[in-house]
Amino acid sequence: MIQENLERIEERLEAACIRAGRRRENLRLMAVSKTQPVEKIQEAYDAGLRLFGENRVYEAAEKFDGRFPEAELHLIGHIQRNKAQKAVEIAECIQSVDALRTVNALDRYAAELDRKVAVLIEINTGGETAKQGVRGEGELHSLIDTILESRYLELRGLMTMAPFTDDIAVLRRCFRSLHTLGQKFSESYGNSHFEVLSMGMTNDFEIAVEEGSSLVRIGTALFGTR
């Protein structure tokens, strides 16, 4: 089932890239494996997927411990400070950084472990009070500067979750906003720190691709309804 789902997703990604005048190889596909059992992750891995996203730190640690040697694990859920140490131990990238206290905790544990970890800053492009993410540019500047001062945290880009809506105009506005921020800060801080724009999920990934996403996070369309 996952192989068939992946083929359908790839067809949609290719079509979205053609519409946007983009090359498929410049877009990464993440399998969002949160809440999925190890058997499902193995099926996705056997289908050729290597990038996986998990929400819960200790659940991810248990599922990926000693398995899937070529897998690249990203944490995409909110990171609590008491889980920062384990997050640094297991993840290649933490996509949900949105507060100085989180940055400081990750930096401290990364230094203790002498391990470099990539991070993305999560932006609340939809202005939703129930969602995490940076809302103001002043706060964003402060986060960027603090991360760039770290020897162990490597800033790679931005992430957002658009509102769950069928309103295409709203979705485009959110994704376009992240793309604009990425371009703006690339000019100030360098392209290498903003090469990743993680945006787009099962219900909106084609629009995200059209608006400049470089990494889409697909769960339901790949694994089926949980």
Side-chain angles (χ1 to χ4, degrees):
M1 181 187 74
I2 288 177
Q3 180 66 58
E4 293 173 359
N5 290 344
L6 178 58
E7 289 171 4
R8 284 192 287 269
I9 291 168
E10 283 292 347
E11 289 174 359
R12 294 169 65 186
L13 287 173
E14 288 280 1
C17 285
I18 290 170
R19 290 194 298 273
R22 302 182 58 195
R23 298 173 67 88
R24 171 64 185 90
E25 55 263 36
N26 295 329
L27 175 69
R28 301 192 74 192
L29 169 60
M30 169 187 284
V32 177
S33 52
K34 64 179 185 179
T35 77
Q36 298 294 339
V38 169
E39 292 77 16
K40 287 285 189 180
I41 299 173
Q42 184 68 60
E43 190 177 344
Y45 189 83
D46 291 343
L49 290 166
R50 292 295 181 267
L51 177 59
F52 293 86
E54 289 279 337
N55 267 36
R56 298 180 178 177
V57 176
Y58 283 95
E59 179 184 332
E62 182 177 349
K63 288 193 293 188
F64 282 82
D65 183 29
R67 304 183 181 95
F68 319 115
E70 296 178 7
E72 179 182 339
L73 177 62
H74 289 207
L75 293 172
I76 58 176
H78 181 67
I79 301 294
Q80 298 173 319
R81 279 180 291 175
N82 63 346
K83 296 182 175 67
Q85 182 174 13
K86 179 58 74 173
V88 168
E89 287 178 8
I90 67 170
E92 278 75 34
C93 179
I94 298 170
Q95 291 203 11
S96 48
V97 172
D98 67 350
L100 282 174
R101 62 181 179 275
T102 305
V103 170
N104 291 332
L106 293 172
D107 185 43
R108 181 170 70 253
Y109 291 122
E112 290 178 3
L113 295 169
D114 193 26
R115 183 169 193 259
K116 292 189 176 182
V117 181
V119 298
L120 306 183
I121 298 176
E122 182 175 0
I123 308 295
N124 189 328
T125 54
E128 297 174 279
T129 56
K131 281 186 179 175
Q132 306 289 335
V134 178
R135 290 179 173 83
E137 281 202 26
E139 183 182 0
L140 179 54
H141 274 290
S142 183
L143 274 176
I144 292 171
D145 290 339
T146 302
I147 294 169
L148 292 181
E149 289 171 1
S150 169
R151 290 176 53 203
Y152 293 94
L153 303 184
E154 299 181 338
L155 180 60
R156 295 287 175 77
L158 305 173
M159 182 268 263
T160 197
M161 292 178 62
F164 190 79
T165 177
D166 293 326
D167 191 330
I168 293 175
V170 170
L171 296 172
R172 287 198 187 280
R173 186 164 60 246
C174 291
F175 296 143
R176 200 165 291 165
S177 173
L178 196 77
H179 186 259
T180 299
L181 276 177
Q183 287 184 318
K184 177 180 178 179
F185 286 107
S186 289
E187 293 173 2
S188 302
Y189 293 95
N191 290 333
S192 63
H193 298 302
F194 293 93
E195 61 187 1
V196 179
L197 292 181
S198 174
M199 58 186 191
M201 299 187 294
T202 287
N203 65 307
D204 56 24
F205 70 86
E206 289 154 301
I207 299 169
V209 172
E210 292 169 6
E211 296 298 337
S213 175
S214 66
L215 188 160
V216 293
R217 310 182 303 271
I218 309 296
T220 302
L222 180 66
F223 291 103
T225 304
R226 289 186 290 274

